[in-house]
Amino acid sequence: MMTSAILKLRHYCAYQERCHSEVKSKCFELGLRGEEIDEAIAALIADNFLNEERFAKAFAGGKFRTKHWGRKKILMELKQRQVSAYCIKKGMEEIDAEDYDKTLYTLAEKKYASLKGEQYLKRKYKTMQYLLQKGYEPEFIQDTVEQIAKGGE
């Protein structure tokens, strides 16, 4: 039982980076319990199929580049997945500050432009709400939207 489960878990981890909590859930699905789960996870770590730091880096970098998520949203998602503080810190280092600022500005610009028919304040408010929901920090959003609003009027 254990070896077929390990093979399935290896495949599961090889397909894409996983965090420990995802692998633990998969172990339950495969019918593993208690000590079997710990042994399976230890084996995956030993064979380098499971690496939480690698997961955090891939997750943070990927969500930022493909979905344009902000740091706050990425941080909350990693915490929800019970990733260690050290790995979260390493993952967040994957986000280049210059790219982050550019992405925030581009998203704000697009959203603001898409609300052309709206009243000035409503336009600013909706743009800010959109960026907050994307996980960007309020202090950065405020400055960026002000900058765009001044330029766009």
Side-chain angles (χ1 to χ4, degrees):
M1 166 63 192
M2 187 71 170
T3 50
S4 72
I6 291 279
L7 289 174
K8 285 178 182 167
L9 288 168
R10 281 182 170 182
H11 182 74
Y12 180 69
C13 292
Y15 176 70
Q16 79 178 44
E17 290 297 338
R18 307 284 181 185
C19 63
H20 292 210
S21 61
E22 288 171 334
V23 173
K24 209 171 251 183
S25 298
K26 189 68 173 175
C27 287
F28 282 119
E29 273 178 44
L30 295 173
L32 300 180
R33 296 289 176 260
E35 218 165 272
E36 291 177 319
I37 292 174
D38 296 338
E39 286 171 23
I41 288 176
L44 291 169
I45 292 170
D47 298 337
N48 209 15
F49 278 95
L50 187 60
N51 180 326
E52 206 156 66
E53 184 179 331
R54 199 172 59 206
F55 166 79
K57 286 179 173 183
F59 184 89
K63 293 296 182 198
F64 172 66
R65 281 188 299 278
T66 58
K67 292 194 173 188
H68 306 297
W69 284 7
R71 288 190 188 105
K72 288 178 83 174
K73 189 167 185 170
I74 293 170
L75 194 73
M76 291 313 297
E77 283 289 326
L78 286 170
K79 280 183 179 174
Q80 201 175 345
R81 286 173 163 81
Q82 298 156 359
V83 173
S84 72
Y86 171 81
C87 291
I88 289 176
K89 185 175 174 278
K90 286 292 183 188
M92 297 311 267
E93 288 170 7
E94 287 297 294
I95 301 169
D96 179 68
E98 204 175 301
D99 289 344
Y100 191 77
D101 294 342
K102 278 183 196 163
T103 303
L104 171 61
Y105 191 84
T106 306
L107 284 172
E109 224 174 14
K110 275 185 191 166
K111 185 64 180 176
Y112 193 79
S114 76
L115 298 166
K116 253 206 172 12
E118 299 277 1
Q119 178 186 356
Y120 173 72
L121 286 174
K122 204 171 206 175
R123 209 171 162 188
K124 275 176 61 174
Y125 173 77
K126 283 185 174 181
T127 303
M128 287 180 186
Q129 285 305 111
Y130 169 74
L131 294 169
L132 281 170
Q133 173 247 314
K134 280 284 212 183
Y136 288 89
E137 298 85 338
E139 57 277 17
F140 294 152
I141 293 172
Q142 185 78 43
D143 296 344
T144 306
V145 173
E146 289 294 334
Q147 203 179 335
I148 290 167
K150 281 186 188 114
E153 291 302 306

